[in-house]
Amino acid sequence: MKRRFSTVIAVIWAFLAGSLSSPLVAGQLWVNQRDASLVLGQADFDTAAEVTSQAGMNDPWDVAVDPTTGKVFVADSNHNRILRFASFSALSNGADAEAVLGQTNFTATLNAASAINLFAPRGITVDADGRLWVADFRNHRVLRFDDASNKATGAAADGVLGKANFTDDDSELSQTGIGFPYAVALDDAGNLFVGSSANGRVLMFADAATLSNGAAATLVLGQDDFDTNTSAATIDRMAAPTGLALDSSGNLYVADQGHHRILRFDDAANKTSGADADAVLGQADFTTVTSGISASTLNGPRAIAVTSDGTLWVADSNNNRVIGFPDADSLPNGSAASLFLGQADLDSSTAGLSQNELDSPRGLSLDSTDRLFVADSDNNRVVVFEKGLFQPDLTIGEKSTKQTGNNRYNSSGSGQKKKVVTDRKEVKFIAKIENDGNIEDQYFVKSLKTSSKRRVKVFRKTGGRSNITSAAKKGTHLTAMTSPGATLSYELRVKPKGKSKKSRSNHKVWLDGSSAADGEKDRVIGFVKNRP
């Protein structure tokens, strides 16, 4: 993506400071303090009722998106169930779930240890083959539901780890036992990682989908062996790991909630038991455990997720926010976050109930487009945040009411052209810029320069007629802030001059608009045929 460096763009970034952040994708970037685009569990963004129904929730602890279908699963913890919703594109605020697991209907809240029931489920994830894995917290086990997007309400689990059968429910400290599992995550090889909060450790079950019930773990991190559970603030110990995530390189991130930090274990599946962590975020080093509210400190982080481009999102629960660390796999210890949701800045932590506030977020998930799903637990809802989309849409015509080029985006003007025949007279084109993005934006307007063959003038029409020719020819004319769907109008005037005025000649002129945020461009072209 081409970037512009000038005094003007510096002013724009100063104006938008705290609102826009990298990393960039063509036409998209994360916008800090972004409004959520969808809410589940509530009818709107201003309610937080605890409801036992097909749509309601009570303390949702996690959310997961099936990569094979896009369907959304929510661990509705206090209702002892998992709700399954349609994919994002089919959902609206307050939508009903299409099925429930852990209960036989949408009004039951029974807790029990069986193949059908759950007891306070915490972390959930869906693997690349559509299997749902559930950290069944108070039953001290992990359940597996195959082809979860097509399970019927009340369907039984297909497998269990941490217990030899579906009816045992004791907390255990062993190579086969689990105590209060809080989080689950899988790498690309199908290795299942389980955060056992009571035992201060992460267990790995190799090729987990092929294992029989009650199979043994093959690796432990956070402890030296499978029979110890000593908590300590060191490079190789943990206290209550509550969130897990793996990136595409197999690096494991652990939300060590008790120590207010995130640990990174590089190439985790090939570590040996008791291995040291490779980096820490939220603390300056491996022995500090101070909670805080800043860009580089955390307070009770409970969940994490890693985007396709390597940004680590952290549900910093006690600070009522979600913060992001771009390029997390290469960050040094104690690095600062640059992205934030749920707060006005990186130094605030007030709980809230609105479209851009959070109250104790405890679960995170990403879909195939990196939409961020947040289990906003104390607001009894799941909210979805999307990247800001920056897209100018230019159209052109002789009249304001007759334009061509709508919804055709390119920097060459292809398919966005208007031809006019003249007899040595000046030709007037009306060009419009519509904000087709989903976030407020500004645009740099640029035009072709005057030459020996033609004279070019540009006038702004929206907000009062003004001659902007000089700035447009330099590409420095900056529009007003423009809301999504709003349109700005310009007048492009072209007149043949010199020898070309007296003879048959063709003139190609253009006008383009580029997003001040990330340079995304659209162009329109006017063809003037002089026929004296």
Side-chain angles (χ1 to χ4, degrees), residues 225-474:
D225 54 50
F226 294 101
D227 302 313
T228 56
N229 60 358
T230 304
S231 173
T234 62
I235 197 170
D236 61 350
R237 291 287 187 271
M238 302 174 191
T242 56
L244 302 175
L246 288 123
D247 63 22
S248 59
S249 298
N251 302 318
L252 174 69
Y253 298 84
V254 180
D256 186 13
Q257 186 231 352
H259 290 147
H260 311 291
R261 65 184 185 177
I262 306 297
L263 299 175
R264 191 187 79 225
F265 294 86
D266 296 342
D267 191 18
N270 291 312
K271 294 284 191 188
T272 57
S273 290
D276 291 348
D278 294 283
V280 61
L281 297 172
Q283 304 291 346
D285 53 52
F286 289 103
T287 57
T288 306
V289 294
T290 305
S291 64
I293 174 64
S294 71
S296 56
T297 56
L298 301 168
N299 188 357
R302 291 183 184 268
I304 46 183
V306 186
T307 67
S308 58
D309 62 7
T311 295
L312 176 71
W313 286 103
V314 179
D316 190 17
S317 187
N318 294 347
N319 282 329
N320 304 300
R321 65 182 185 175
V322 177
I323 60 175
F325 298 83
D327 303 316
D329 62 347
S330 59
L331 293 179
N333 294 344
S335 293
S338 59
L339 304 171
F340 54 91
L341 300 168
Q343 298 293 335
D345 53 51
L346 282 162
D347 299 310
S348 302
S349 60
T350 304
L353 174 64
S354 71
Q355 198 167 354
N356 61 15
E357 295 177 299
L358 300 169
D359 191 352
S360 297
R362 295 182 183 132
L364 298 177
S365 186
L366 294 153
D367 69 6
S368 59
T369 65
D370 280 343
R371 291 187 188 95
L372 185 64
F373 292 70
V374 181
D376 189 19
S377 300
D378 283 2
N379 282 328
N380 301 301
R381 65 184 187 176
V382 168
V383 288
V384 184
F385 295 94
E386 300 181 83
K387 288 181 178 178
L389 175 65
F390 297 86
Q391 181 62 70
D393 182 16
L394 270 72
T395 60
I396 191 170
E398 288 187 85
K399 297 181 179 180
S400 179
T401 55
K402 194 172 182 180
Q403 298 276 296
T404 186
N406 186 42
N407 294 331
R408 295 179 180 174
Y409 314 114
N410 58 74
S411 59
S412 68
S414 176
Q416 303 170 129
K417 304 173 183 178
K418 179 62 180 177
K419 296 181 181 179
V420 176
V421 178
T422 186
D423 179 5
R424 294 179 289 187
K425 296 180 180 179
E426 185 176 63
V427 173
K428 180 181 74 174
F429 296 98
I430 300 299
K432 294 185 176 182
I433 306 175
E434 182 178 2
N435 182 354
D436 278 4
N438 61 9
I439 195 75
E440 193 175 39
D441 200 2
Q442 288 179 285
Y443 305 105
F444 286 103
V445 174
K446 189 174 183 179
S447 71
L448 186 69
K449 296 179 180 179
T450 293
S451 71
S452 60
K453 296 181 179 181
R454 61 192 165 265
R455 185 187 71 196
V456 179
K457 290 185 178 181
V458 185
F459 296 86
R460 184 192 67 207
K461 297 185 67 179
T462 302
R465 184 178 175 84
S466 175
N467 190 334
I468 64 160
T469 302
S470 178
K473 289 176 179 178
K474 298 174 185 177

Side-chain angles (χ1 to χ4, degrees), residues 129-133 144-151 156-159 209:
D129 294 311
R131 304 180 192 92
L132 172 69
W133 301 83
R144 188 189 81 242
F145 294 85
D146 298 339
D147 192 22
S149 284
N150 293 307
K151 289 284 193 192
D158 297 284

Side-chain angles (χ1 to χ4, degrees), residues 481-531:
M481 292 295 286
T482 309
S483 300
T487 300
L488 307 170
S489 292
Y490 288 84
E491 189 177 286
L492 177 63
R493 289 182 173 268
V494 185
K495 185 176 182 179
K497 59 182 289 193
K499 294 181 180 180
S500 65
K501 183 177 181 180
K502 300 176 183 179
S503 60
R504 293 171 66 89
S505 58
N506 297 323
H507 304 275
K508 177 182 176 181
V509 295
W510 50 262
L511 193 74
D512 67 39
S514 303
S515 167
D518 74 344
E520 192 73 9
K521 180 189 292 186
D522 196 27
R523 174 176 288 190
V524 289
I525 294 175
F527 285 101
V528 179
K529 292 186 176 183
N530 186 46
R531 297 294 183 263

Side-chain angles (χ1 to χ4, degrees), residues 129-184:
D129 294 311
R131 304 180 192 92
L132 172 69
W133 301 83
V134 180
D136 192 13
F137 184 69
R138 295 194 180 279
N139 280 328
H140 310 290
R141 64 185 184 176
V142 173
L143 297 180
R144 188 189 81 242
F145 294 85
D146 298 339
D147 192 22
S149 284
N150 293 307
K151 289 284 193 192
T153 288
D158 297 284
V160 59
L161 293 172
K163 294 289 172 288
N165 55 59
F166 289 105
T167 56
D168 289 346
D169 62 357
D170 294 330
S171 177
E172 297 180 49
L173 175 63
S174 68
Q175 193 167 354
T176 57
I178 301 175
F180 293 100
Y182 218 110
V184 284

